[in-house]
Amino acid sequence: MSDNKRLNNYDNLPLVLDVADIRRIMGISRVSAYELVHTPGFPAFRSGRLIKVSKKAFFDWMEKGTETLPKDNK
């Protein structure tokens, strides 16, 4: 699979996602994906040097993130 291709079928995803999977699912850059997995409250864990996320925990986290974001004061 091309590294730039977005993943869009929940059933075809692995049970444990890595940063590249999250990047493809969300359509964000590699840097943004790493910033995301280091965000407090994000359900990531380490497996040796690798950062992993349970598929269920990731989608539960996304579902909880539906609250309204504060407006920028620009």
Side-chain angles (χ1 to χ4, degrees):
M1 175 185 328
S2 168
D3 204 35
N4 292 325
K5 185 176 181 182
R6 288 184 76 176
L7 303 175
N8 57 14
N9 186 329
Y10 181 86
D11 294 329
N12 290 340
L13 294 173
L15 291 177
V16 179
L17 307 172
D18 60 21
V19 175
D21 294 327
I22 292 166
R23 183 183 67 73
R24 289 189 301 258
I25 291 165
M26 297 188 72
I28 59 177
S29 71
R30 182 177 180 269
V31 170
S32 293
Y34 275 99
E35 288 174 356
L36 178 63
V37 299
H38 289 99
T39 301
F42 189 82
F45 62 92
R46 286 201 174 268
S47 175
R49 292 181 44 149
L50 302 175
I51 299 171
K52 300 290 187 170
V53 182
S54 153
K55 174 171 73 169
K56 181 181 180 330
F58 174 68
F59 282 94
D60 288 347
W61 174 84
M62 282 193 6
E63 189 173 315
K64 286 192 323 188
T66 58
E67 56 199 51
T68 306
L69 296 174
K71 292 184 178 182
D72 288 338
N73 291 331
K74 291 183 180 179

